[in-house]
Amino acid sequence: MSDTITKPRAVERVLAGQSVMDGAGVKINRVLTQALQRRLDPFLMLDNLASDQPNDYIAGFPAHPHRGLETVSYMVAGRMRHRDSAGHEGLLATGGVQWMTAGSGVQHSEMPEQEEGVMEGFQLWLNLPARDKMCKPWYRDFASEEIPRYTTDDGVSVQVIAGHSHGVTGAMQRAVTEPVYLDIDLPAGSSFDQHLPPGHNAFLYAFRGEVQVDGKSVPNQRMAILANTPDADGVRITAPAGGRVILVAGKPLNEPIAQYGPFVMNTQAEIYQAVQDFREGKFGQTAA
Ligand code: MN
């Protein structure tokens, strides 16, 4: 099935992320920052970690809680060990994805399992609808070979982490926010179309080479927010010299967003409750 589109979306903005330290001192490019949460609803955060310097990542992310959201970790290169208070443990290796629904609350740790070499990956935060924020925590690891993929006639290689693309059903589906999450590798001179409903918020991030969207350049390590052009039926990405991007899109929740660090709820009262529950040990413990 082709996803050929007739009217492509324009680019609204191209922006660089913010360099931040998180966890125990991990150097990150925060691509989707808090200021963009409303614009890119239902997505709350996108972090990109990319380094061959162990000092940038080796301290990892020791035990910390989450409530009210889902975290989606995609390891482009490297190995990260995950443990949580629900007794889950997994190793995220090159090409793997971990989808974690924090729901009512988990405490987990994410620690590098390598002392040298390249560590590169993304963590995306997807909001939960109000009615699901206190759901039972859940998680699943997908090894690289479990991520559905296909190659177009143009030689574009696509991994479908979530949603649908060209008739291929991704590893994960979510009913309310209908997230699409693709890793798209475009050889020089190729073009790629992805159908997207006009009301869904969408962005892409270039992490190899440079791509073009509706005549606008998206250089390496830059994010493009795609306009919600009313009559557009998708996005067209071209790569005159080759490039690789992640494309993320979803249906907005249009609900209030109240965030305090790793807790994302709808009201301040729910945030106070999360902090209190955490202090009272209701999120459980995780082995370091
Ligand atoms: Mn976390």
Side-chain angles (χ1 to χ4, degrees), residues 102-237:
S104 62
V106 295
Q107 184 159 199
H108 73 168
S109 62
E110 300 152 291
M111 301 298 288
E113 199 153 277
Q114 61 186 43
E115 291 174 356
E116 57 183 27
V118 176
M119 179 76 82
E120 181 178 12
F122 295 97
Q123 189 170 83
L124 177 71
W125 287 12
L126 171 61
N127 208 354
L128 283 167
R131 66 165 200 236
D132 294 335
K133 281 188 176 290
M134 294 298 282
C135 71
K136 190 169 176 263
W138 179 89
Y139 107 111
R140 185 168 164 190
D141 284 332
F142 297 89
S144 178
E145 59 270 20
E146 295 176 283
I147 308 296
R149 66 193 67 205
Y150 65 90
T151 303
T152 69
D153 293 344
D154 243 15
V156 178
S157 167
V158 183
Q159 298 185 63
V160 190
I161 296 167
H164 300 271
S165 179
H166 294 231
V168 175
T169 298
M172 283 292 298
Q173 310 299 325
R174 280 289 177 254
V176 179
T177 48
E178 301 174 29
V180 168
Y181 189 176
L182 310 177
D183 176 342
I184 307 164
D185 195 353
L186 300 106
S190 68
S191 173
F192 176 78
D193 281 6
Q194 171 68 30
H195 170 76
L196 297 172
H200 288 202
N201 291 328
F203 62 94
L204 59 81
Y205 180 77
F207 65 104
R208 296 280 188 283
E210 175 170 346
V211 299
Q212 299 213 336
V213 177
D214 198 40
K216 203 154 189 171
S217 276
V218 186
N220 196 18
Q221 296 189 306
R222 292 292 183 276
M223 169 207 242
I225 297 177
L226 304 179
N228 294 83
T229 313
D231 50 348
D233 56 355
V235 58
R236 176 164 297 152
I237 306 166

Side-chain angles (χ1 to χ4, degrees), residues 45-48 71-74 108 110 121-125:
M45 194 185 84
L46 177 70
D47 280 351
N48 177 218
T71 66
V72 184
S73 306
Y74 175 36
H108 73 168
E110 300 152 291
F122 295 97
Q123 189 170 83
L124 177 71
W125 287 12

